[in-house]
Amino acid sequence: MPLRIAICDDHPIILESLGLLIATMSNMEVTATFTNAKAMQQHLETHAIDVLITDLSMPDVNGIELTTALRMQNKKLAILMLTVEENHQLIKSAFHAGISGYILKRAGKTELEKAIRTVANGEKYISNVVLNELVNPSDDEESKVLPSQLTAREIEVVKLIAQEFSSSEIARLLFLSPGTVETHRHNIIKKLQVKNVVGITKFAIRNGLI
């Protein structure tokens, strides 16, 4: 019986590409794909799978929150996190939440297949690149700011930025002008001492804001 694999990623092109790639691997079958975590959770209530491949950053529920929730329901499910994030704090948080393996999206087919088979066998998988990041952290964009150092409005904006809402969408949701949102965005980046949206998202995940 082939390994039953489900994939959760908010980018349809990633779902399609992964599905095609895994289809070329022996004894594996992608049984379901999802663009949001909630739909995937509902599917797992009535369908059995062997391996879940999930992204870290998603608009509704991030991969760490998803893993925490799934571990309460199924302690044996193999969860492989496939992401672009190389931050050592996020990697540690993901394993603490209960993932089975962590692999980067820039990995090749051979490594991906090895990771899937490893976690399916009940073992942990950490790629050499990820392991090196844990041993020798290179992230120079880790904000030392605490959420309490931001205003209530800035926290609202951070949460929405981390959920991939655009400035115009944030303006509509918070009843602000786009210019005001851009000002908040600029002030947040300056306060957190990060370079871009990725830094804001890491701050939000690290501090449990999403």
Side-chain angles (χ1 to χ4, degrees):
M1 183 176 179
L3 289 175
R4 298 163 297 182
I5 300 170
I7 309 171
C8 188
D9 193 298
D10 61 325
H11 296 94
I13 192 170
I14 296 295
L15 292 178
E16 183 177 353
S17 299
L18 272 178
L20 292 172
L21 183 62
I22 293 172
T24 67
M25 300 176 185
S26 175
N27 202 39
M28 293 189 193
E29 177 185 8
V30 176
T31 59
T33 59
F34 304 92
T35 56
N36 68 83
K38 292 180 180 178
M40 189 278 303
Q41 286 178 280
Q42 292 175 349
H43 177 82
L44 291 186
E45 292 176 359
T46 55
H47 297 77
I49 64 169
D50 299 304
V51 179
L52 168 65
I53 300 176
T54 180
D55 195 2
L56 175 60
S57 300
M58 293 182 287
D60 56 345
V61 177
N62 69 56
I64 293 175
E65 293 173 327
L66 173 60
T67 299
T68 300
L70 291 178
R71 279 288 170 251
M72 297 176 66
Q73 303 171 7
N74 187 339
K75 296 186 180 299
K76 295 183 178 181
L77 175 64
I79 302 175
L80 178 62
M81 188 161 286
L82 178 64
T83 178
V84 298
E85 294 293 348
E86 300 182 41
N87 175 269
H88 66 283
Q89 292 288 356
L90 295 179
I91 297 170
K92 290 178 180 178
S93 295
F95 275 104
H96 181 73
I99 64 168
S100 309
Y102 197 105
I103 185 172
L104 301 178
K105 286 185 175 178
R106 57 188 171 92
K109 175 186 174 181
T110 300
E111 184 178 7
L112 176 61
E113 183 173 357
K114 180 181 178 181
I116 293 173
R117 296 194 189 282
T118 299
V119 299
N121 286 330
E123 302 172 27
K124 297 290 185 183
Y125 183 85
I126 307 178
S127 69
N128 289 334
V129 174
V130 173
L131 182 59
N132 183 64
E133 176 61 26
L134 288 173
V135 176
N136 302 296
S138 60
D139 185 10
D140 60 355
E141 199 180 11
E142 181 178 337
S143 176
K144 305 299 181 182
V145 176
L146 298 175
S148 58
Q149 294 174 261
L150 300 181
T151 67
R153 179 64 83 188
E154 286 170 343
I155 290 293
E156 289 180 315
V157 174
V158 164
K159 290 179 179 179
L160 293 172
I161 288 175
Q163 294 175 68
E164 300 185 2
F165 285 96
S166 66
S167 291
S168 59
E169 290 172 327
I170 294 173
R172 186 170 62 255
L173 289 169
L174 299 182
F175 302 101
L176 301 172
S177 71
T180 298
V181 173
E182 283 300 318
T183 297
H184 282 308
R185 185 188 292 262
H186 173 77
N187 290 339
I188 290 167
I189 287 176
K190 186 176 181 180
K191 280 188 177 182
L192 298 185
Q193 298 181 354
V194 296
K195 298 176 182 177
N196 49 38
V197 171
V198 173
I200 295 175
T201 301
K202 289 179 180 179
F203 171 83
I205 293 175
R206 189 178 299 115
N207 290 281
L209 299 179
I210 59 172

